Amino acid sequence: MSQPLRPADLTPLARDVMKMPASIGLIFFSFVAAYLLMVLPWSGAWLASRPDFLLLVLLFWSLHQPRSIGQGIAFFAGLLMDVSDSMLLGQHALAYVIAMFGAQVFRVRILTFPIPEQTLHILGLTLVSGCVMLVLNLLLGADFPGFAFFVSPVVTAILWGPVNWILYLPAVRRRRGATS
Amino acid sequence: MIAREPPAFFHRGPSPLARLTFFTLAAVALMIADHRFHALDTVRTVLSLLAQPIQQVASAPSEALGRLAEYFSNQDRLMRENSELRTRVLEQSAAAQEARLLKAEQAHLLEMTQARSRYADSGTIAEVLYNARNPFTRKIVIDKGLGQAISAGMPVIDGTGVVGQVTNVGWFTSEVTLVTEKDQSVPVMIVRNGLRAVAVGSGKVGSIDVPFMPVAADIQNGDVFVTSGIDGTYPPGLVVATVTSVDKNAAYVFAKVVARPAAGVDNHRYVMVLPPAAAAAPRPEARGDEAPRKAGKDRARARRQP
């Protein structure tokens, strides 16, 4: 407990730590926080680069807590985002569910890599979910919003590292408290 | 793909692929129900009610910042604004007096013909909360909803012209689709010569298209479009847009007319929601969908046909 926590010494330890189930409270709180960040009054260029915090948290828990967080939660989270972003009901839901499916299928593979390589995998998933949204909206008759649209999936993937670090912290603290 | 399935010792439910199929079908069904039949407005209202507390928390900091900035805003600016407003009141008082006279005259005439006034007397002032967080559409969210008797289809204006139309109502907030939204149409006429047209949003900031104007039509730069009122949604006479470019090329059937919306469509703080215009002439035939935006499109389509 004496030396400060560095992200570097987290990753080798982390996979082990996360075998302990995270508390439901933490999972719930992380979703509320992610949703809160999503519904800040983003607009203009900020909106184009708004990272999809909710998708990040969904992916994180589906990788580390696959028994409790799956496609059903993703579906309902998506519906909530559709309503609050005033989109057609079901768009976010579909995009999230597809990304979650990818995470479930590649779960073991993704978890064998350290964070930088994991980020690349997450980038693939966020791009897929972004493309789903884009195609759906183009089908509905919207104009192509420009390539700035793809900034958001990239920013989302870049935040994978920080999100990992933040969501690991409570579990690591608990473990250190238990061993020392 | 992981080819190996875990042994069936533990109950794990359906496979990811089965779940994906199920949820994809559910999402597609929802989208169709929402898009084609507008059957999910209650679901939307309930979900938005659930999310309301968090949304409120999320918008609190920026609102507080805005108020703080307003509080500390320049004395200079306030005084200038004040004097500007005072001159505008003076300018408008003459027009207002004349309007009062005209209104009395109109009431008299209407009484004689036993018709009802097309003009609504009052509206609801609403504050714009934020732009909808949706890169594909142009909408704003205002702070009045079902509680203040707002309903879908009501026109929304600001001090200078038409802002748009209420398209979705929650308990405490509603969504307003701006006139610049792609395919959002408003029946208009030119003030100068009464020429009728349909103004259609282009989906871009600060630009409205006026399609299907014949090359020979009498239209020029600077012409002002006002609502014609024939759709029964917008009361007549509200300023919609000013023509910024007319491209008459004999090679095409129609002139390309582009206009700039009159209202500060993208930078207003307060708007006014007008009650729906008093019933116009009954529509020729009842159609299946009664959603306002769709109806606007239908009318636009109907106008194009001879």
Side-chain angles (χ1 to χ4, degrees), chain B residues 236-254:
Chain B
L238 300 173
V239 180
V240 177
T242 314
V243 176
T244 51
S245 89
V246 183
D247 184 8
K248 290 180 178 174
N249 188 337
Y252 298 106
V253 184
F254 299 112

Side-chain angles (χ1 to χ4, degrees), chain A residues 107-126:
Chain A
R107 172 165 176 265
V108 179
R109 179 189 159 89
I110 293 175
L111 286 181
T112 46
F113 289 108
I115 296 293
E117 281 84 346
Q118 282 187 13
T119 302
L120 287 179
H121 285 83
I122 297 299
L123 177 64
L125 294 177
T126 54

